[in-house]
Amino acid sequence: DQQVKQNSPSLSVQEGRISILNCDYTNSMFDYFLWYKKYPAEGPTFLISISSIKDKNEDGRFTVFLNKSAKHLSLHIVPSQPGDSAVYFCAASVRGAQKLVFGQGTRLTINP
Amino acid sequence: GAGVSQTPSNKVTEKGKYVELRCDPISGHTALYWYRQSLGQGPEFLIYFQGTGAADDSGLPNDRFFAVRPEGSVSTLKIQRTERGDSAVYLCASSSDRGSIEAFFGQGTRLTVV
């Protein structure tokens, strides 16, 4: 039972354009969502998060949008840079439960 | 070091053997997590420690898996009678307080059971 789903295994975007990574979840108890970025042979690195009381959170080039009614969130990266090429994981948690449920990841490639 | 350190980076073991994977969290971090990442999947939660105690071990797949954190710092994940299906990258993470879910991950230990 995959509670957090990233349906696009890969995404290729031109440098300077917008990258949009999508994530869907099924558990309505999730109230905190995070995006992690992972380079090869390294552990995941926290990127940005959003609480369920918000519908948008922005940090520099990164913006996360949350649509609770659709149980959908997305990560926007603009402008995309070659260093953004990595695997991006969406993760969710339930208040009080100190564990994350991860999606399968999306490999983002930024082409020069 | 400043980050979460995991040793060894790679471990190859024969089916049926016992293995120990070590995690050194960021100094002062009270919360420690173990996750397992299989090929093509996202990390899956195994166990969470708050201090020395396992606050949530609901992700451990069976009783062959066990983890300890005796002094509230270093943690060891122990796998008995390893099986080929245990092959994965084992990730450790730590965070600074009980309420923070934004954990810092180590680079992982790649376990291969042959």
Side-chain angles (χ1 to χ4, degrees), chain B residues 15-76:
Chain B
K15 179 174 175 295
K17 299 287 189 183
Y18 167 83
V19 295
E20 289 189 352
L21 311 179
R22 176 187 167 104
C23 173
D24 276 278
I26 293 172
S27 178
H29 279 192
T30 58
L32 185 145
Y33 312 81
W34 284 99
Y35 286 80
R36 176 170 74 171
Q37 185 177 10
S38 301
L39 195 63
Q41 301 296 316
E44 288 180 282
F45 171 79
L46 295 177
I47 188 169
Y48 155 60
F49 287 90
Q50 183 60 236
T52 60
D56 184 349
D57 64 357
S58 61
L60 295 177
N62 51 59
D63 62 6
R64 295 187 297 105
F65 289 75
F66 191 70
V68 295
R69 195 186 185 200
E71 297 176 0
S73 179
V74 171
S75 176
T76 304

Side-chain angles (χ1 to χ4, degrees), chain A residues 13 21-22 27 72 84 89 91 97 103 109:
Chain A
V13 174
L21 297 107
N22 293 302
N27 188 346
H72 177 84
D84 296 330
F89 291 99
T109 303

Side-chain angles (χ1 to χ4, degrees), chain A:
Chain A
D1 176 29
Q2 190 76 28
Q3 297 187 68
V4 177
K5 297 180 185 180
Q6 294 175 256
N7 291 316
S8 298
S10 63
L11 177 67
S12 186
V13 174
Q14 201 75 18
E15 182 179 359
R17 306 291 276 257
I18 184 170
S19 296
I20 301 176
L21 297 107
N22 293 302
C23 178
D24 297 292
Y25 61 95
T26 58
N27 188 346
S28 57
M29 298 296 290
F30 287 145
D31 62 356
Y32 198 70
F33 304 88
L34 305 87
W35 284 93
Y36 278 83
K37 173 179 177 179
K38 185 180 183 307
Y39 292 119
E42 294 184 12
T45 303
F46 169 73
L47 199 54
I48 192 170
S49 62
I50 188 167
S51 163
S52 60
I53 62 173
K54 293 184 173 182
D55 54 17
K56 176 182 175 182
N57 189 27
E58 193 171 352
D59 183 3
R61 296 186 298 113
F62 302 91
T63 303
V64 56
F65 295 92
L66 175 62
N67 182 333
K68 288 187 290 294
S69 61
K71 294 192 179 67
H72 177 84
L73 65 157
S74 60
L75 174 69
H76 292 211
I77 307 173
V78 56
S80 301
Q81 299 174 354
D84 296 330
S85 295
V87 177
Y88 289 78
F89 291 99
C90 168
S93 72
V94 174
R95 183 186 302 278
Q98 288 292 108
K99 61 184 177 185
L100 295 172
V101 180
F102 283 85
Q104 311 94 306
T106 297
R107 180 178 301 278
L108 175 65
T109 303
I110 306 301
N111 302 307

